[in-house]
C-alpha cells in the first residue's frame, strides 16, 4: 500500500470566492482526493477560486493533471482561477512542462484578491 501525506481544505473567503488549500504530496495516491476537492470548489456559484499550493511538498504529473483539470473546469464555468503560493515543488513541474504560463499565479491569496 502506498502512503502519502495530503490534505485539502476549502474556505469561503466571501460569497463566490473560495480558497482551496492543498498540502502535502499530490501524486498518484492522492490525485483522486485532490480532484474531488477541486471539482467541489470550481463549480457555480463560485466566481473566483484560488488554489493555495504553498504547503505542497511534491507535485507529480498526476498533480499537474489536477491543476489542468481545475483550469479547464474554471473555463467551462466562467470562473476565474488562480494559483497562490507557488513554491519550488509546484513551480518546477509547471515550468518544465510549459504549463506555468497557462495559470494566473500570485504570491498570496491577499495579493490575488487585490488584483482580481
Amino acid at each position: 500500500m502506498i502512503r502519502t501525506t495530503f490534505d485539502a481544505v476549502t474556505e469561503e473567503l466571501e460569497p463566490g470566492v473560495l480558497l482551496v488549500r492543498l498540502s502535502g504530496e499530490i501524486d498518484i495516491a492522492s490525485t483522486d482526493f485532490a480532484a474531488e476537492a477541486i471539482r467541489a470548489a470550481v463549480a457555480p456559484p463560485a466566481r473566483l477560486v484560488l488554489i493555495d499550493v504553498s504547503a505542497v511538498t511534491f507535485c507529480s504529473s498526476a498533480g499537474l493533471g489536477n491543476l489542468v483539470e481545475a483550469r479547464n473546469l474554471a473555463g467551462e464555468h466562467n470562473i476565474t482561477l488562480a494559483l497562490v503560493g507557488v513554491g519550488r515543488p509546484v513551480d518546477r513541474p509547471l515550468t518544465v512542462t510549459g504549463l506555468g504560463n497557462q495559470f494566473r499565479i500570485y504570491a498570496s491569496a491577499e495579493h490575488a484578491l487585490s488584483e482580481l
Side-chain angles (χ1 to χ4, degrees):
M1 177 175 175
I2 298 173
R3 287 214 151 153
T4 187
T5 304
F6 175 79
D7 195 24
V9 176
T10 301
E11 173 185 356
E12 186 171 36
L13 301 178
E14 59 186 68
V17 179
L18 300 176
L19 175 66
V20 181
R21 296 177 198 267
L22 304 180
S23 62
E25 300 174 0
I26 309 175
D27 58 17
I28 193 67
S30 61
T31 190
D32 289 341
F33 187 41
E36 182 180 312
I38 288 167
R39 286 183 198 127
V42 185
R47 59 180 172 77
L48 171 61
V49 176
L50 305 176
I51 300 179
D52 183 340
V53 293
S54 61
V56 170
T57 57
F58 177 76
C59 184
S60 73
S61 59
L64 288 179
N66 290 131
L67 298 178
V68 169
E69 179 184 18
R71 185 202 63 204
N72 293 344
L73 283 171
E76 289 172 17
H77 297 297
N78 200 28
I79 296 170
T80 300
L81 178 88
L83 303 180
V84 298
V86 176
R88 184 170 171 79
V90 176
D91 182 54
R92 180 136 172 82
L94 283 174
T95 300
V96 167
T97 59
L99 290 170
N101 61 5
Q102 295 183 22
F103 292 91
R104 294 178 180 182
I105 298 176
Y106 296 91
S108 67
E110 294 78 19
H111 186 229
L113 289 172
S114 71
E115 298 216 357
L116 296 173

